[in-house]
Structure formats: structure tokens, C-alpha cells
């Protein structure tokens, strides 16, 4: 399983970005794919996931601002981020597990992408 995260960059507060996680080696639609982020000096935290049933889950800090979605034809999972805040600054990672899960804890996920930097300036 390989995951390739992309789409990060520098954006002003209030702006938007869409991250992509290209999945290869598996059919992503039968896995749970999650987005995590890790800010400097902080633990890696799960922020959103989409499972094999297409159900999506997100943490309160990003609800209403971040949307996770999947394009089965492209085997890609997206994270659309709007109304970005400086506190959203982090390296963003996508991860996969074959379990049909709603859990966003790191120990559940077996495969990880390399991360993409998102920087939100105030």
C-alpha cells in the first residue's frame, strides 16, 4: 500500500486548500482512509476519516470547515479545507487501514503517506 499526500502550501487566514491522497496498491474504497496532522511540538492528531461505507467522521476542531471525500475512479481521497486558521498550521498526513473504522487514532492505521506542509499565516 502506498499513499501520496499533496496539495499543501502557504495560505492566508480565511483561505482554503484542498489536499489529495493518491492511493496505490489497494482499492481505496474498501479501506478506511484518514487525515492526520502534526504541528511542531505536538502529537499527531486524527482530524477526519472516510470508511468503506462512505461514512465520514471529523473532529470538532475542523467540523464545518474541513470535508473529506473520495473519488473511487481516481483512487484518491481529498481533504477540502476552508476558513483556515493559523492553528491549522501543521504537516498533514493521510493513512489507511483495512478495518471499517470511525477511529482516528494512529495505532489503528497501518500505512502512511509522507506528509504535506500546510502553513496558515495570520
Amino acid at each position: 500500500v502506498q499513499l501520496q499526500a499533496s496539495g499543501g502550501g502557504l495560505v492566508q487566514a480565511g483561505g482554503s486548500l484542498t489536499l489529495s491522497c493518491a492511493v496505490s496498491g489497494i482499492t481505496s474504497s474498501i479501506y478506511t482512509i484518514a487525515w492526520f496532522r502534526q504541528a511542531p511540538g505536538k502529537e499527531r492528531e486524527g482530524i477526519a476519516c472516510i470508511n468503506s461505507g462512505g461514512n465520514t467522521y471529523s473532529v470538532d476542531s475542523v467540523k464545518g470547515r474541513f470535508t473529506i471525500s473520495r473519488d473511487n475512479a481516481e483512487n484518491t481521497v481529498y481533504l477540502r479545507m476552508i476558513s483556515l486558521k493559523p492553528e491549522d498550521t501543521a504537516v498533514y498526513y493521510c493513512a489507511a487501514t483495512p478495518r471499517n473504522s470511525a477511529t482516528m487514532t494512529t495505532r489503528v492505521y497501518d500505512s502512511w503517506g509522507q506528509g504535506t506542509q500546510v502553513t496558515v499565516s495570520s
Side-chain angles (χ1 to χ4, degrees), residues 47-76:
I47 55 174
C49 69
I50 182 166
N51 66 16
S52 59
N55 300 304
T56 62
Y57 305 87
S58 59
V59 296
D60 288 345
S61 60
V62 306
K63 268 192 174 75
R65 299 189 302 122
F66 292 10
T67 303
I68 189 170
S69 63
R70 167 188 275 143
D71 183 329
N72 292 336
E74 296 292 327
N75 222 26
T76 299

Side-chain angles (χ1 to χ4, degrees), residues 6 40 60 73 103 112-113:
S6 62
D60 288 345
T103 303
W112 291 81

Side-chain angles (χ1 to χ4, degrees), residues 5-79:
S6 62
L10 174 63
V11 63
Q12 287 189 326
S16 61
L17 280 173
T18 298
L19 305 183
S20 300
C21 177
V23 183
S24 59
I26 58 169
T27 300
S28 65
S29 61
I30 65 172
Y31 274 58
T32 297
I33 308 293
W35 284 98
F36 290 77
R37 66 185 180 187
Q38 188 165 19
K42 293 192 176 180
E43 301 255 331
R44 190 171 297 188
E45 63 166 341
I47 55 174
C49 69
I50 182 166
N51 66 16
S52 59
N55 300 304
T56 62
Y57 305 87
S58 59
V59 296
D60 288 345
S61 60
V62 306
K63 268 192 174 75
R65 299 189 302 122
F66 292 10
T67 303
I68 189 170
S69 63
R70 167 188 275 143
D71 183 329
N72 292 336
E74 296 292 327
N75 222 26
T76 299
V77 173
Y78 300 97
L79 185 69

Side-chain angles (χ1 to χ4, degrees), residues 3-5 20-22 33-36 92-96 111-115:
L3 300 98
Q4 179 82 29
S20 300
C21 177
I33 308 293
W35 284 98
F36 290 77
Y92 284 69
Y93 300 88
C94 55
S111 303
W112 291 81
Q114 84 291 359

